[in-house]
Amino acid sequence: MFVQVIKGRAKDKAAVEAAGQRWQDEVRPGAVGYLGGTFGVADDGTLVVIARFEDEAAAAANSARPEQGEWWAGFEPLLDGAPTFRESSDTSLLFDGPSDAATFVQIMEGTVADRAKAEAMETPELEAQLKKARPDLLGGIRVWLDGGAYVEAAYFTSEEEARKGESAEDFEGPQMDFEAVFGTPTYTDLRSPLHG
């Protein structure tokens, strides 16, 4: 899998979301090798797009399509400044990965000093406990970037259920250990994510 992470700032949240829907309706049908994605604008105007492709060649072929170029030419003026593009084929999934059923998606960005230690903490047993304790959490994807940086998206049934789950005592997990390894990530909440 090859993932593109695009981040920018919307001048007008509604206009950017409408453009995202147009991409889904008009451009996506011809995107060969496109596996799916998440598109959303946070309350503060932060835009996050996570687009998943079979491989880097499929992503490049999509970018070269005239339909994609035309759509982007109309989309970019809706943003305040140039967006950032980050790409990686170094990914991992939580449960079954991204879920189109999610009505709330939380994006986390951070950097780990010791990736091997971080991944060693995430055992199958711990994942099974998490799945049982957090039915609100449908799945997730982590995209690894250079220097131990990562972007992670967690997919939830709803924001209400996610907030309840955050304060639940059913799953404590090695919280202090996780914080020591993963540090304090930044969070972007997508309350009206577009999937597909």
Side-chain angles (χ1 to χ4, degrees):
M1 185 192 307
F2 183 78
V3 179
Q4 292 179 329
V5 179
I6 305 167
K7 191 173 181 182
R9 184 161 295 275
K11 292 178 182 176
D12 182 307
K13 184 174 186 286
V16 168
E17 289 176 335
Q21 187 62 59
R22 280 197 302 277
W23 188 89
Q24 292 284 354
D25 297 339
E26 301 170 13
V27 184
R28 181 195 170 178
V32 177
Y34 176 72
L35 301 176
T38 299
F39 178 108
V41 182
D43 292 346
D44 68 355
T46 300
L47 164 73
V48 180
V49 180
I50 297 179
R52 308 186 312 275
F53 294 88
E54 288 178 358
D55 52 34
E56 188 173 358
N62 179 67
S63 295
R65 294 168 59 217
E67 306 96 309
Q68 178 68 27
E70 290 170 12
W71 177 85
W72 184 260
F75 178 72
E76 196 168 19
L78 302 175
L79 303 180
D80 185 7
T84 60
F85 287 78
R86 290 174 288 177
E87 302 177 324
S88 179
S89 56
D90 189 356
T91 65
S92 60
L93 300 179
L94 175 64
F95 307 156
D96 295 325
S99 173
D100 290 354
T103 65
F104 177 64
V105 176
Q106 193 164 65
I107 308 295
M108 291 152 279
E109 299 178 67
T111 303
V112 297
D114 188 336
R115 177 175 169 179
K117 184 176 181 180
E119 293 184 319
M121 296 173 66
E122 299 175 322
T123 64
E125 294 78 14
L126 192 69
E127 186 172 308
Q129 292 173 25
L130 178 61
K131 192 167 190 175
K132 182 178 179 182
R134 295 291 305 271
D136 58 298
L137 178 57
L138 299 173
I141 183 170
R142 181 181 296 148
V143 182
W144 288 103
L145 304 162
D146 291 339
Y150 66 89
V151 177
E152 185 169 343
Y155 293 71
F156 298 93
T157 53
S158 71
E159 182 174 10
E160 181 183 6
E161 292 301 315
R163 300 304 181 197
K164 286 181 184 176
E166 285 175 0
S167 58
E169 296 180 0
D170 294 340
F171 179 78
E172 292 294 334
Q175 196 64 35
M176 294 301 290
D177 293 338
F178 268 107
E179 289 175 1
V181 174
F182 282 92
T184 304
T186 60
Y187 291 86
T188 304
D189 292 341
L190 305 181
R191 294 187 166 91
S192 52
L194 179 64
H195 306 293

